[in-house]
Amino acid sequence: MKVSEIQSAGLNKKILATLGAYFKMNLGRDNSLLDELDVKELAGGEWLMHQGDPGDALYFLVRGRLQAWARDAEGKDRGSFLNEIVPGDSVGELSLLTGAPRAVGIQAIRDSLLLRLDHESFERLAQDHPALVLRLAANVASLLQSSHSATGASTRNLNAITIMPLDASPRLENFCRELTLELENEGSTLSLSAGDLGRKGAPVEALQPRETVPESLKNWLQDQESQYRFVVYHCSAGISDWSRFALRHSDMVLLVGDSSADPEPRQWESELLESSGSTIARQLLVLLQPPAATPIVGTSRWLADRNIDFHIHVRADQPDDLSRVTRIVSGNAIGLVLAGGAARGFAHLGVHRAMRELDIPIDWIGGTSIGAIMAAAIASPMSDEESEKLVKTSFVDGKPFSDFTIPMMSLIRGRRMDNMLNEHLDYQIEDLPMPFFCISCNLDTGSTNVHERGGLSRALRASAALPGIIPPTVVGQRLTIDGAVVNNLPVDVMQQKPVSRIIAVDLSPSERLEVEYSKLPSPWAVWRGRYLPFTRRQRVPSLSTIMLKATILGTQERVRALGKKADVLLSPPVKQYGMTEVKSFEKIVQAGYDHARNELADWLERTGD
C-alpha cells in the first residue's frame, strides 16, 4: 500500500512529521516523495531484515519499536544486542547508497509500521530531487560519526508501557498507581485498564478477560500513542486478551512482584510472556522490598527461571527507589562508570560526593578494578559516610598493597584484600539496592566477564586481580584477572543498560610525562637518593607502579574511544599520586570532588537539568 492511499488523518500527520524531520524540510500531502513510499507493517517478533540480506531499501519507522542484533559465532540472529530503533529513526541508508549487504539484523519488538523506499524509487527521486539525495548522504555521514560518540539509550522515547503485577495484592496495585502518578510528572500520560476504557474515551466501555480486542479499539489505542507521551497499559495477573494485546504493543514490560511472595514463576507467565507472538519487548522485574533496615535477600530465586532483562528493587521507605523506576521508564536514568587506577581510584568517592551535593542521581553503576570496588561500596546498603570510612580503613589502615609474599604468581598474597571484601562486601550482586556490574578478564582466552549475578566479593576479587601484583582468582573453573586488561572504562557495557545518560570517570593521564634523566638510573643510585643525606633523589616508578601501568596501557586507546561515548567524561587531576600511594587518601578524594563539582555543575547548566 502506498502512503497516498492511507485515509487516517492522524497517521498521515505522523508520517509527514517523521519524513519532514528526517529530510529537514516541510512536506505537503501532494509531495512527490510520498508517492514513492510503500507502507510496511510488522508484527511483534517479525524480522524486517537479517544480517547479510541484500541492501535493497531504506525504511522509516513511524510507529512501534525495533531492535538491532548482530549474529553470534554460531550464526544465531539474536547474538549481540546493539540498540533499539524508535519512531523517527531510519534503517538501511548505507546499504541503499552502496548496495552492501545488511550489516545487522532488525527485529520488531512490537507491532510496528514503517515506510519503505526501494532502490528503483530512490533512483527516480535522485533525478528529480537531487537535494534529497544530498540530505540522505549527509544523514549517513552523521550516523557514521555518531557511532564514535555517545549513543542513544535503549529506553529513549519509550511510549507504550505495560505494567503487570505477578499477583493480585493491594501493595502491588498501589505501586502501579504510584508509578503512573510519577510518570504524569514527566509528560502527558494515559492510564488504561480493561475495565475503565469507556471512561477514557475508548469506543468500548470495558473488556472481559476472554473478550477479543475489537479493531475499533485497536485503532483508537494506536491513535492515543500519537497524542500522549506515555500510554500505560495496566494488566491483571493472569492471561487475558487485553494482556496479550498490551504486550504486543509495548515498548517495555514491567513485571511487579512482592519480595515476600513465592518467587517461583506463576503458571500463566511462560504462556503469556514467552509464547510465540506475545512479546519480545525488554522486561524489567520490579521487586517491592520491606524497609531498608531489612536486608534484601533471595533475588536469585526470582530471576532463576524467568527471562528477565533487568531487575530493580523498590524499598518501602526509600522514595528514590520508585523515582529510579520512573527515570528508567521516562528515559532520564543516569549510569555511572568508574575506571581502574589503583589508589587513584579514591577519586571516585569524591565524584560521588559531588553528585550527591548536586542532586544527580545514580540509577546504575559499574566499574573495573578499583573502580569496581568503589562502585560496589556506593551500590551497597551502606550509607555514603559508611562506605567512605570503609574504603579508608581498608586501604589506608589495612594496607592491602603491602601484603607481600614470595613472588611465585604475584608480589602480593591478596589475603588482606580477600579478607576486606569478604568481611564488608559479602553480598549477592542481585541483592544490591542499586543495579551494579563489574568487569574481569579470563586469563586463558582474554575474553571479558561481565559480573551481574552471584557473589559480590568474588566478582570484585576477580575484577581487581592486578596481573603480577595480586594473584588471579577462579571463576567458573577458569583463572580470572583484572578487567582493566580488556576494558578499563566499560561505557559500552553501561550503554546496554536502561539508562539515557552516562557519566564516566577516567583516571589515566593524557599528558606526556618527561623524566629529568637521559638514561635510567641504576638501582644503587635510586637507593642512595632515597636513604642517604645530601644525595639527589632519582624519581623512578616503583616495580608495582610499572606493573600497574602496564596492565592498562594496552587499552588506553579503547578507553579514549569509550570515553567519547559517555555524555560526561570526568578526568580528575590525580596523576601526581602514585598508584599505590594510599596515604594520600584524603587528597585524592578531594581532587575527585573538586573536579567533579565544577564539571558537573557546568554540565547541568548546559543541559538545563
Side-chain angles (χ1 to χ4, degrees):
M1 180 173 63
K2 292 291 184 181
V3 173
S4 56
E5 299 173 10
I6 294 177
Q7 301 299 318
S8 171
L11 185 54
N12 271 328
K13 184 177 179 181
K14 194 161 187 175
I15 288 172
L16 292 173
T18 299
L19 296 175
Y22 182 85
F23 287 108
K24 295 181 175 60
M25 60 184 293
N26 293 320
L27 292 175
R29 182 63 191 86
D30 57 350
N31 195 290
S32 59
L33 171 62
L34 303 181
D35 296 325
E36 300 291 349
L37 295 170
D38 293 310
V39 175
K40 183 174 182 61
E41 295 183 85
L42 287 178
E46 189 177 352
W47 287 86
L48 174 65
M49 61 185 70
H50 295 276
Q51 186 173 330
D53 284 353
D56 57 355
L58 164 67
Y59 296 89
F60 303 95
L61 181 61
V62 177
R63 187 169 58 207
R65 201 172 188 90
L66 312 173
Q67 287 180 342
W69 291 86
R71 283 179 178 160
D72 60 14
E74 298 177 355
K76 294 181 180 178
D77 285 320
R78 289 174 62 90
S80 299
F81 171 77
L82 301 175
N83 64 289
E84 291 192 352
I85 296 101
V86 302
D89 287 349
S90 56
V91 176
E93 295 99 329
L94 188 60
S95 293
L96 183 69
L97 288 175
T98 65
R102 302 297 189 188
V104 298
I106 305 293
Q107 186 181 27
I109 70 170
R110 52 169 295 193
D111 291 0
S112 302
L113 185 142
L114 304 97
L115 305 178
R116 182 179 185 272
L117 177 64
D118 62 29
H119 193 269
E120 292 182 1
S121 298
F122 171 72
E123 289 185 340
R124 286 195 297 270
L125 282 173
Q127 295 176 4
D128 299 333
H129 302 282
L132 293 182
V133 179
L134 292 176
R135 175 61 63 188
L136 181 61
N139 284 339
V140 171
S142 177
L143 286 171
L144 292 174
Q145 183 179 11
S146 67
S147 66
H148 300 288
S149 60
T151 59
S154 62
T155 53
R156 65 192 175 104
N157 295 348
L158 290 179
N159 184 199
I161 314 297
T162 291
I163 303 179
M164 179 171 291
L166 295 176
D167 300 291
S169 100
R171 187 184 181 192
L172 299 184
E173 293 173 3
N174 184 57
F175 169 82
C176 295
R177 284 193 297 268
E178 289 180 351
L179 177 59
T180 304
L181 290 174
E182 286 226 357
L183 280 176
E184 289 177 354
N185 295 326
E186 301 296 328
S188 59
T189 302
L190 178 63
S191 175
L192 297 168
S193 65
D196 70 349
L197 293 170
R199 290 194 302 107
K200 301 298 176 65
V204 298
E205 286 298 320
L207 286 178
Q208 299 304 314
R210 296 296 176 182
E211 185 178 356
T212 302
V213 178
E215 284 299 319
S216 60
L217 178 58
K218 291 180 181 179
N219 295 333
W220 181 83
L221 290 169
Q222 290 174 357
D223 287 341
Q224 305 316 300
E225 291 188 31
S226 301
Q227 299 179 28
Y228 288 89
R229 173 64 183 88
F230 302 105
V231 175
V232 181
Y233 296 110
H234 289 275
C235 299
S236 301
I239 298 176
S240 69
D241 281 4
W242 170 252
S243 296
R244 292 188 188 278
F245 173 86
L247 292 173
R248 286 194 56 172
H249 291 79
S250 293
D251 296 323
M252 177 174 274
V253 177
L254 273 61
L255 303 175
V256 186
D258 189 327
S259 63
S260 63
D262 183 357
E264 294 299 317
R266 305 333 181 221
Q267 290 184 352
W268 52 266
E269 281 188 64
S270 59
E271 180 181 348
L272 182 63
L273 297 172
E274 299 178 14
S275 61
S276 175
S278 58
T279 179
I280 58 171
R282 307 185 97 181
Q283 296 180 19
L284 175 69
L285 174 64
V286 180
L287 281 178
L288 305 188
Q289 300 288 345
T294 303
I296 298 173
V297 295
T299 308
S300 60
R301 297 173 60 196
W302 285 88
L303 301 176
D305 296 316
R306 288 183 171 90
N307 186 25
I308 298 295
D309 295 288
F310 315 108
H311 74 278
I312 295 286
H313 298 290
V314 176
R315 293 163 291 179
D317 59 347
Q318 301 295 313
D320 195 55
D321 287 355
L322 171 61
S323 297
R324 174 176 290 125
V325 180
T326 306
R327 288 191 294 269
I328 288 173
V329 173
S330 62
N332 295 311
I334 295 177
L336 179 62
V337 178
L338 306 179
R344 295 171 180 170
F346 300 151
H348 295 318
L349 297 177
V351 171
H352 180 223
R353 187 187 301 169
M355 293 180 69
R356 293 200 314 270
E357 290 186 7
L358 293 168
D359 291 325
I360 300 175
I362 303 172
D363 298 304
W364 222 278
I365 192 166
T368 300
S369 195
I370 192 70
I373 296 176
M374 299 300 108
I378 294 169
S380 75
M382 292 183 289
S383 68
D384 299 331
E385 294 74 17
E386 289 173 335
S387 61
E388 283 198 25
K389 183 178 179 181
L390 167 63
V391 173
K392 182 178 181 181
T393 302
S394 301
F395 284 91
V396 179
D397 301 334
K399 299 179 180 179
F401 295 130
S402 300
D403 186 19
F404 296 109
T405 185
I406 299 174
M408 299 294 289
M409 291 185 294
S410 61
L411 295 177
I412 296 173
R413 289 185 301 176
R415 188 174 299 170
R416 294 179 188 174
M417 181 77 76
D418 288 345
N419 292 340
M420 182 270 289
L421 296 175
N422 290 331
E423 180 179 356
H424 300 290
L425 293 171
D426 186 22
Y427 304 100
Q428 294 296 302
I429 296 176
E430 305 95 311
D431 294 333
L432 293 175
M434 181 186 298
F436 165 91
F437 69 84
C438 66
I439 304 297
S440 70
C441 172
N442 291 318
L443 185 59
D444 50 2
T445 63
S447 55
T448 300
N449 300 311
V450 180
H451 300 272
E452 299 178 282
R453 298 188 184 185
L456 176 62
S457 59
R458 179 177 287 272
L460 295 177
R461 178 65 176 76
S463 185
L466 299 159
I469 304 292
I470 299 177
T473 190
V474 179
V475 176
Q477 300 299 306
R478 302 173 75 179
L479 289 177
T480 309
I481 58 175
D482 197 305
V485 174
V486 290
N487 192 347
N488 198 37
L489 191 68
V491 173
D492 54 337
V493 178
M494 184 62 80
Q495 287 178 321
Q496 306 301 315
K497 309 307 175 189
V499 300
S500 57
R501 291 169 292 179
I502 297 175
I503 298 172
V505 187
D506 179 22
L507 304 175
S508 56
S510 57
E511 302 89 352
R512 176 178 174 178
L513 178 63
E514 295 185 352
V515 296
E516 66 272 17
Y517 38 79
S518 59
K519 67 176 183 178
L520 195 67
S522 67
W524 173 241
V526 174
W527 186 91
R528 282 185 305 176
R530 289 182 180 177
Y531 300 107
L532 297 182
F534 312 111
T535 305
R536 181 181 178 184
R537 182 178 178 86
Q538 303 289 343
R539 298 188 178 278
V540 298
S542 66
L543 174 60
S544 57
T545 296
I546 292 174
M547 297 180 74
L548 287 167
K549 283 290 294 180
T551 298
I552 61 176
L553 279 177
T555 62
Q556 280 194 287
E557 284 299 322
R558 187 183 184 195
V559 165
R560 281 189 276 271
L562 289 171
K564 294 178 181 178
K565 293 180 178 292
D567 296 272
V568 181
L569 178 63
L570 302 176
S571 300
V574 292
K575 68 175 184 179
Q576 68 270 35
Y577 301 106
M579 299 185 77
T580 58
E581 195 176 327
V582 295
K583 63 183 180 181
S584 297
F585 176 85
E586 285 85 0
K587 294 180 180 178
I588 297 173
V589 172
Q590 188 66 36
Y593 169 81
D594 292 339
H595 177 77
R597 194 69 170 74
N598 293 329
E599 294 293 320
L600 292 175
D602 290 344
W603 175 62
L604 290 176
E605 185 175 351
R606 291 194 307 271
T607 58
D609 288 356

